[in-house]
Amino acid sequence: MPILTIIVPAYNADRYLHRALSPFARALTGTDVEVIVVDDGSTDATATIAAEYAARYPTVFRVVTQANAGHGGAINAGIAAATGTYLKVLDADDWLDTDVLDRVVRTLEALEPTGGVDAFFSDYVHERIGKENRTMRFESVFPSGRVFAWDESDRFGRRQYLMMHAVIFRTSVVRASQLKLPEHTFYVDSLFVLIPLAHTRRLYYSPETLYHYFIGRPDQSVDVDVMVRRVDQQLFVNRLALKTLPPSDAVMTGEIPAALYDCLLHYVEALCAITSATLVHCGTPRHLVMRRSFWHEVRNDRPRVYRRMRRGLMGASSNLPGVAGRRVTLLAYGVARRVVGFS
């Protein structure tokens, strides 16, 4: 059994796949890491490239081929095929620092005799086209170099979010969470983080930059124009994300650590703020009605969450009424995208 499975969901990714996979071919020769490339019904050379790596390095690479099911469907397939004790998702247009990965693998192996961890966190960098790169660090939030619990963590700053790039989960935790990502849907990365994260208790943080997140292409799902076209999917994912939040009473009963709940809510608030601002950015009467309806749902279904979001800067600035309020929202929109790392 490998210690780590790296899942690479790939759809028409032949422009980038060599960059994602070639570092593993150079660095990995043993059986402690497996790389599963999920070809999600690609119509370009993605399947051929993945098959070449699997043929040349059979102890490292495996290929799963399926009819197109979207990013979530490809991740689901990778999770089902994973044999590693831990798993990580690597988008096909991103890459990992294999020197850091080697140290992460050694650490995961060293943790196993004492029970391992539920989640392993590391820093990541936004590789931004035409802009200065930005590294997301968590050293102010987590103690480093040892196993810790949520009550030993500090508050997340406004720019700090545990996006998919920062997390390695224990495979059994992911499966126990019954994670099933929606198919043919964008923006499901947040659900991949939020659903298993609620089940984590034993944690470890390494203050090294493992993941390189390539951002800034005009066809990328987080491009402004693309997000406007797919705002319906953002709303769908936001509603699912809100459902993943444990009831706030669970903190008072001790069922869930307060710091974990704050982490989950911090993430969901950012998702809702960006979607709300995207609807304002769209600007049509239909989109403004959708925005009012969404916040009405939150207020009715999760009143405590709604009140807490309204007190927060991003939640409040994305939910201001009237024409003047929408202007403020649009100003906050650019800030929110930079904070979360969408630009």
Side-chain angles (χ1 to χ4, degrees), residues 147-306:
V147 178
F148 62 95
W150 278 106
D151 62 6
E152 298 177 80
S153 65
D154 210 332
R155 278 188 170 275
F156 285 80
R158 198 170 296 159
R159 290 182 177 273
Q160 292 172 307
Y161 292 89
L162 280 178
M163 295 176 69
M164 178 192 79
H165 322 306
V167 183
I168 295 173
F169 283 120
R170 193 171 191 86
T171 306
S172 59
V173 169
V174 175
R175 290 173 175 159
S177 74
Q178 300 183 339
L179 174 70
K180 183 74 171 177
L181 296 176
E183 297 183 353
H184 301 292
T185 305
F186 289 88
Y187 312 113
V188 298
D189 291 359
S190 55
L191 301 176
F192 173 80
V193 175
L194 290 167
I195 294 174
L197 195 65
H199 296 261
T200 60
R201 298 297 183 270
R202 285 173 56 86
L203 314 168
Y204 192 98
Y205 165 63
S206 175
E208 293 191 277
T209 304
L210 173 62
Y211 197 107
H212 291 256
Y213 173 32
F214 184 56
I215 188 169
R217 303 193 323 270
D219 61 337
Q220 208 161 8
S221 62
V222 295
D223 176 76
V224 174
D225 293 335
V226 176
M227 291 184 75
V228 166
R229 293 198 302 270
R230 294 174 179 161
V231 71
D232 289 350
Q233 295 193 36
Q234 290 184 61
L235 280 168
F236 175 64
V237 170
N238 278 191
R239 290 182 172 110
L240 293 178
L242 282 162
K243 288 181 180 179
T244 71
L245 278 177
S248 49
D249 291 346
V251 176
M252 292 183 285
T253 62
E255 181 183 342
I256 184 168
L260 171 55
Y261 185 82
D262 287 343
C263 172
L264 298 172
L265 185 56
H266 177 65
Y267 199 145
V268 172
E269 179 186 13
L271 293 175
C272 292
I274 287 176
T275 299
S276 181
T278 302
L279 288 165
V280 173
H281 189 78
C282 294
T284 69
R286 181 179 75 89
H287 288 109
L288 297 179
V289 169
M290 291 166 64
R291 176 172 172 261
R292 286 196 299 271
S293 176
F294 172 69
W295 284 111
H296 183 74
E297 286 178 36
V298 178
R299 184 176 60 200
N300 287 345
D301 297 343
R302 301 299 296 268
R304 291 184 181 177
V305 172
Y306 177 80

Side-chain angles (χ1 to χ4, degrees), residues 13-66:
D14 61 1
R15 287 177 296 171
Y16 309 105
L17 196 56
H18 279 297
R19 184 178 63 189
L21 301 184
S22 60
F24 300 126
R26 293 193 301 269
L28 303 177
T29 56
T31 57
D32 49 2
V33 175
E34 67 173 354
V35 180
I36 299 178
V37 182
V38 182
D39 171 37
D40 189 42
S42 299
T43 57
D44 63 0
T46 294
T48 301
I49 294 170
E52 289 172 352
Y53 278 92
R56 290 189 64 187
Y57 309 97
T59 62
V60 176
F61 296 97
R62 284 198 288 143
V63 181
V64 173
T65 302
Q66 65 177 25

Side-chain angles (χ1 to χ4, degrees), residues 327-342:
R327 289 174 181 165
V328 173
T329 296
L330 287 175
L331 290 173
Y333 178 59
V335 175
R337 285 180 58 85
R338 290 194 296 274
V339 165
V340 179
F342 283 176

